[in-house]
Amino acid sequence: MTGCDPVASGAPSAVAVKVPEELSARVPAEQRGPGLDRDAVRLLVSRGTEVSHHAFAELPRLLRAGDLLVVNTSPTLAAAVDGRIGHARVVVHFSTRGDDGRWAVELRDPDGRGTTRARAAGPAGTEVSLPGGARAVLEEPLSGRGERLWWARVSGTDVLGLLREHGRPIRYSYTERDQPLSAYQTVFALPSPDGQGSAEMPSAARPFTARLVAELVSRGVGFAPITLHTGVASAEAHEPPYPERFAVPEPSARLINAVKAGDGRVIAVGTTAVRAVESAAGPDGVVRAAAGWTDLVVTAERGVRVVDGLLTGLHEPEASHLLMLEAVAGRAAVGRGYEEALRGLYLWHEFGDVHLLLPEERPHAERCNGNSW
């Protein structure tokens, strides 16, 4: 169910301000000073329109016994590879492997600073030379929504082997320098049986450490693993997500349903976890084991059936993710939270601070139908 103040799916987000460039997190938290770990980020907590400020290490005190965190186990791939079109240098971002063996790819121009800028892709038949004598041939756009991502057929190599040998993590212009792939793996990442993973890190889980997970478990907070392999985000156009592979295993489905039937709260760690769980939920709100592709776009108009809360990074005002936040928490809560994040100089993007959206603590009679936002 949606919150009490829904917004239509086509409406603009409640966040209408520009994020100053200096609020981009340029390096991981553990590199900002001696003795710091990944959890050395700030945590903004929204309960409806009530906002409080915390260190992420305080998370175990902000949750309660019986709560369940849904976490994405997808590992991050070294998905950026150098290539050439004729004599022109390009960078190929490998997004998603299709069922027919083709890969959805994004072509970008190197900008001379170690990052990339947008490039017009196509036409069909364009050939990209890759390391080791491999090549990729563009065949057709991924969808009718635009030509940023193309289906490409790669020959002369196994793509996952190519990424392991020649790939590097996708890096955006707001970051200061290249980072090892380990900097983009979360504590929950597990190797996939088929070697697949996410083109970009499921970054909401990045601040978790093994020590913090142990403390949460000791306080009675549970974990439900799911998998959703994220594709290449639209850094410039902020398009809605494309279909992505996901899996919700039977034990996690049972855990989620048990918590929903009791007094606990189901809190998704990241928008990827929301998308996976909501894709596995029926109209009755019951989660069933599921695997395959999901094209679900969660909006306030569609609402959420399972998720009570969300831990997520801070998204740019144009990002389609904000409509999902509004589906979970309501427009007023998201708008108020982002006002406070800007006022408090929180850091944005995958190495930045995080935002925990929880239900308001209200008397039962005052709650709106559905969840208690």
Side-chain angles (χ1 to χ4, degrees):
M1 301 294 292
T2 64
C4 297
D5 52 351
V7 57
S9 61
S13 159
V15 182
V17 294
K18 184 166 179 59
V19 179
E21 206 172 297
E22 59 269 22
L23 294 186
S24 294
R26 303 194 183 282
V27 296
E30 63 272 22
Q31 297 178 16
R32 294 179 200 147
L36 298 180
D37 206 340
R38 288 178 171 223
D39 58 4
V41 297
R42 300 169 69 192
L43 176 64
L44 181 76
V45 178
S46 293
R47 294 180 177 87
T49 55
E50 178 189 336
V51 176
S52 57
H53 304 270
H54 305 268
F56 186 76
E58 297 176 61
L59 181 64
R61 295 197 294 103
L62 297 166
L63 301 180
R64 59 194 188 208
D67 285 343
L68 184 69
L69 294 174
V70 181
V71 296
N72 189 356
T73 63
S74 178
T76 307
L77 301 175
V81 176
D82 292 324
R84 287 186 178 273
I85 299 177
H87 295 293
R89 293 176 57 223
V90 296
V91 177
V92 184
H93 288 174
F94 285 86
S95 179
T96 308
R97 184 170 70 184
D99 292 333
D100 59 1
R102 297 185 300 175
W103 278 79
V105 301
E106 179 187 33
L107 302 186
R108 295 180 68 88
D109 288 322
D111 61 7
R113 301 190 301 271
T115 52
T116 61
R117 56 178 175 264
R119 172 193 176 95
T126 297
E127 183 175 313
V128 184
S129 298
L130 298 168
R135 65 172 192 158
V137 178
L138 303 187
E139 293 191 347
E140 59 182 334
L142 186 65
S143 81
R145 278 188 274 160
E147 297 194 349
R148 181 178 67 89
L149 290 171
W150 280 68
W151 285 115
R153 196 167 296 279
V154 180
S155 60
T157 188
D158 164 61
V159 171
L160 293 172
L162 176 75
L163 301 186
R164 286 192 296 270
E165 187 172 352
H166 298 286
R168 61 186 178 276
I170 290 174
R171 179 187 156 202
Y172 290 116
S173 59
Y174 48 77
T175 56
E176 186 175 289
R177 56 182 177 267
D178 286 346
Q179 298 289 342
L181 184 59
S182 59
Y184 292 88
Q185 304 295 5
T186 74
V187 72
F188 305 111
L190 295 172
S192 297
D194 58 3
Q196 293 196 68
S198 289
E200 297 180 356
M201 171 176 57
S203 56
R206 192 184 190 280
F208 284 87
T209 62
R211 180 183 63 250
L212 190 69
V213 170
E215 184 179 352
L216 285 161
V217 171
S218 72
R219 289 174 175 262
V221 176
F223 289 84
I226 58 86
T227 302
L228 186 138
H229 297 315
T230 68
V232 176
S234 170
E236 288 84 17
H238 301 291
E239 302 155 354
Y242 288 88
E244 294 167 319
R245 290 184 184 275
F246 82 104
V248 176
E250 179 65 37
S252 292
R254 287 200 305 266
L255 265 175
I256 293 166
N257 292 331
V259 169
K260 293 296 291 182
D263 295 327
R265 299 170 296 184
V266 175
I267 300 168
V269 177
T271 56
T272 60
V274 176
R275 197 180 196 204
V277 169
E278 294 293 328
S279 296
D284 56 359
V286 174
V287 177
R288 296 169 177 86
W293 293 89
T294 177
D295 59 1
L296 176 65
V297 178
V298 178
T299 64
E301 184 177 65
R302 185 267 186 192
V304 289
R305 297 166 178 166
V306 179
V307 172
D308 300 304
L310 173 61
L311 178 72
T312 183
L314 293 164
H315 305 283
E316 291 181 334
E318 306 89 350
S320 61
H321 294 300
L322 287 176
L323 294 178
M324 179 188 287
L325 270 62
E326 291 173 5
V328 175
R331 188 180 186 122
V334 175
R336 173 70 175 144
Y338 271 68
E339 286 174 8
E340 282 296 308
L342 286 166
R343 186 177 294 115
L345 303 180
Y346 278 68
L347 296 180
W348 257 249
H349 304 305
E350 66 265 33
F351 297 138
D353 299 317
V354 283
H355 187 190
L356 176 62
L357 298 128
L358 291 173
E360 288 182 87
E361 299 292 342
R362 296 194 222 163
H364 180 76
E366 295 180 12
R367 295 178 182 176
C368 48
N369 294 332
N371 62 22
S372 54
W373 294 92

